């Protein structure tokens, strides 16, 4: 019994340390029930992690008149949600594509005609 409690505390401590290292990063959480959640880690408590989970929202075009013929808006709204360390199976950074930086400018840019 004592060995099981010690193992749980070590696992919880490992998850807590990993979440503290990734605080304020956009991560992907995989839960033990198979669900995946992407969000931003906002706070780490002793027994759970608070994640700002994104929700896709599509703005209704008929409700707001769009000037200049703009279409309906689509954006993400983030709300806090708690996940206990016992329910987390994996935690990883969300991979963003990285393209080479646009600087330094290559010849003939900038072009000065004078």
């Amino acid at each position: 019994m004592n060995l099981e409690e010690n193992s749980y505390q070590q696992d919880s401590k490992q998850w807590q340390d990993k979440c503290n290292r990734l605080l304020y990063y956009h991560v992907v959480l995989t839960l033990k029930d198979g669900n995946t959640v992407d969000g931003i880690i906002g706070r780490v408590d002793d027994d759970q992690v608070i994640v700002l989970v994104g929700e896709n929202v599509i703005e209704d075009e008929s409700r707001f008149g769009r000037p200049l013929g703009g279409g309906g808006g689509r954006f993400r709204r983030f709300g806090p949600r708690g996940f206990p360390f016992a329910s987390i199976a994996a935690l990883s950074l969300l991979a963003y594509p990285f393209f080479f930086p646009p600087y330094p400018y290559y010849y003939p840019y900038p072009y000065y005609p004078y």
Side-chain angles (χ1 to χ4, degrees):
M1 177 87 172
N2 192 15
L3 184 61
E4 291 176 3
E5 289 177 10
N6 192 14
S7 174
Y8 172 75
Q9 289 174 352
Q10 286 177 350
D11 290 342
S12 177
K13 181 68 174 160
Q14 289 172 351
W15 283 119
Q16 188 176 13
D17 291 341
K18 188 167 186 177
C19 289
N20 276 326
R21 279 196 318 264
L22 297 175
L23 196 62
Y24 307 121
Y25 280 92
H26 201 167
V27 297
V28 176
L29 285 169
T30 304
L31 305 176
K32 289 185 179 176
D33 61 0
N35 291 333
T36 58
V37 177
D38 71 302
I40 301 169
I41 295 179
R43 188 176 77 216
V44 180
D45 294 335
D46 292 334
D47 58 345
Q48 71 176 352
V49 59
I50 306 297
V51 179
L52 297 173
V53 179
E55 169 190 358
N56 291 330
V57 179
I58 299 174
E59 189 177 86
D60 187 16
E61 292 181 33
S62 62
R63 185 171 163 202
F64 300 103
R66 291 284 183 159
L68 304 174
R74 180 173 175 234
F75 57 94
R76 292 189 79 179
R77 179 182 305 153
F78 287 85
R81 191 168 163 202
F83 294 99
F85 292 126
S87 67
I88 299 173
L91 176 68
S92 62
L93 278 172
L94 188 64
Y96 287 107
F98 177 74
F99 301 105
F100 63 90
Y103 300 104
Y105 294 119
Y106 296 105
Y107 180 78
Y109 189 81
Y111 175 72
Y112 298 110
Y114 48 84

